Amino acid sequence: MTRWRPLPDSLPREARQLVEQLRQLKDRTDLSLAELARRTAYSKSSWQRYLSGAKQPPRGAVQALCKVAGADQARLLALWDLAAPVWPYGTVVTAMASQGAPPAPAPAEYRRWRTAALVAFAVIVLLVAGVLWTWPSGSG
């Protein structure tokens, strides 16, 4: 059984309940975080963040852990539904973060969206430049 660190005080009660249940499921599997990562689509470091309460686990991670542990998903997904709206955006603010630690990097979803937007903008600029280049000048 894993010896867990206490959850952050800033974690809402609903989120705390979810993380505690996920920890119990993880302990029940007797898997290390590395082995859990190999059996799911989530990395070891992601599982560390989810099980420490530092980051909200995606719904799919809850489902994956339930599947690996052979547990009923309905109860944990109901807990996830209760925790999702109250979970602090991004990561939980810890005492170190409030003392001026550097901000956490942008979530992967935001980076993907930003990259897609930049690529779309570049394509539009190239298309407009191509149209302007081939447009008749009218001085002929």
Side-chain angles (χ1 to χ4, degrees), residues 72-124:
D72 180 33
Q73 294 181 13
R75 189 166 155 274
L76 275 160
L77 291 178
L79 280 175
W80 187 92
D81 289 337
L82 291 172
V86 297
W87 202 291
Y89 179 73
T91 58
V92 174
V93 176
T94 62
M96 186 188 311
S98 65
Q99 294 173 357
E109 296 83 12
Y110 175 75
R111 289 191 300 265
R112 281 194 295 265
W113 178 87
R114 184 180 59 200
T115 301
L118 289 172
V119 168
F121 180 76
V123 167
I124 290 169

Side-chain angles (χ1 to χ4, degrees), residues 28-63:
R28 200 168 83 187
T29 66
D30 284 330
L31 297 174
S32 67
L33 290 176
E35 184 61 29
L36 183 59
R38 281 192 285 279
R39 293 184 184 204
T40 64
Y42 302 90
S43 69
K44 177 183 171 185
S45 59
S46 291
W47 281 114
Q48 287 172 331
R49 288 188 295 272
Y50 305 151
L51 296 172
S52 70
K55 185 161 173 76
Q56 179 183 6
R59 190 175 179 89
V62 174
Q63 292 171 316

